């Protein structure tokens, strides 16, 4: 029998928007910041690869969701966007039980294209944050939500 996963860190609440795919790959959480918000996930066994570490495809999913949601919300009228390009540099690993989170910096959110970058870190239950990946994305703006 496996031990229960640690609780979600203080200040994080369920992500405000989901989809059938995100329901399968989450659950995702967010915490507001002065500008934007963090998006996080507790690593469960279903998020791992055959080596027992956080799967690269799951890292890419968190990157795409965080980059897109934070960038879309960076404008007064939230943007409706599609991912045009997503790049990821994997620099570390995360284990079952680790809390992982993406902090996004929006470079520019224009009328046709939006650009952002993120740092994804892992925080073990008893440890300090370590980088897992850096990511960047370009989005095609297709309208506004509202």
């Amino acid at each position: 029998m496996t031990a229960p996963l640690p609780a979600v860190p203080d200040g994080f609440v369920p992500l405000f928007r989901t989809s059938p795919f995100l329901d399968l790959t989450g659950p995702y959480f967010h915490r507001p910041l002065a500008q934007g918000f963090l998006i996080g996930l507790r690593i469960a066994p279903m998020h791992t690869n055959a080596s027992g570490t956080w799967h690269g495809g799951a890292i890419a999913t968190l990157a795409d969701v965080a980059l897109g949601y934070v960038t879309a919300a960076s404008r007064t009228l939230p943007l409706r966007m599609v991912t045009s390009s997503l790049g990821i540099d994997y620099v570390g690993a995360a284990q079952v039980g680790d809390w992982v989170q993406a902090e996004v910096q929006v470079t520019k959110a224009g009328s046709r294209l939006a650009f952002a970058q993120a740092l994804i870190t892992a925080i073990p239950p008893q440890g300090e944050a370590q980088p897992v990946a850096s990511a960047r994305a370009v989005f095609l703006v297709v309208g506004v939500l509202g």
Side-chain angles (χ1 to χ4, degrees):
M1 184 171 202
T2 60
L5 294 173
V8 171
D10 288 342
F12 281 88
V13 295
L15 193 58
F16 51 87
R17 185 173 174 221
T18 191
S19 70
F21 179 73
L22 294 185
D23 290 344
L24 287 173
T25 60
Y28 296 92
F29 299 86
H30 78 288
R31 186 181 85 197
L33 299 172
Q35 284 193 343
F37 44 92
L38 297 173
I39 293 187
L41 171 74
R42 178 70 68 195
I43 301 301
M46 69 178 215
H47 298 120
T48 63
N49 57 27
S51 298
T53 60
W54 191 23
H55 192 284
I59 297 170
T61 298
L62 176 63
D64 190 40
V65 169
L67 287 159
Y69 281 31
V70 173
T71 303
S74 71
R75 299 276 295 270
T76 302
L77 290 175
L79 300 172
R80 204 168 145 257
M81 308 179 314
V82 294
T83 307
S84 176
S85 173
L86 177 66
I88 300 175
D89 297 311
Y90 299 97
V91 299
Q95 312 292 324
V96 170
D98 289 356
W99 176 258
V100 293
Q101 62 188 33
E103 186 169 0
V104 174
Q105 180 180 46
V106 177
T107 307
K108 180 180 181 182
S111 62
R112 297 279 300 146
L113 295 174
F115 304 83
Q117 57 190 9
L119 177 62
I120 300 170
T121 56
I123 306 166
Q126 306 296 326
E128 299 204 14
Q130 297 292 320
V132 173
S134 61
R136 65 221 154 268
V138 178
F139 300 96
L140 176 64
V141 176
V142 295
V144 293
L145 296 172

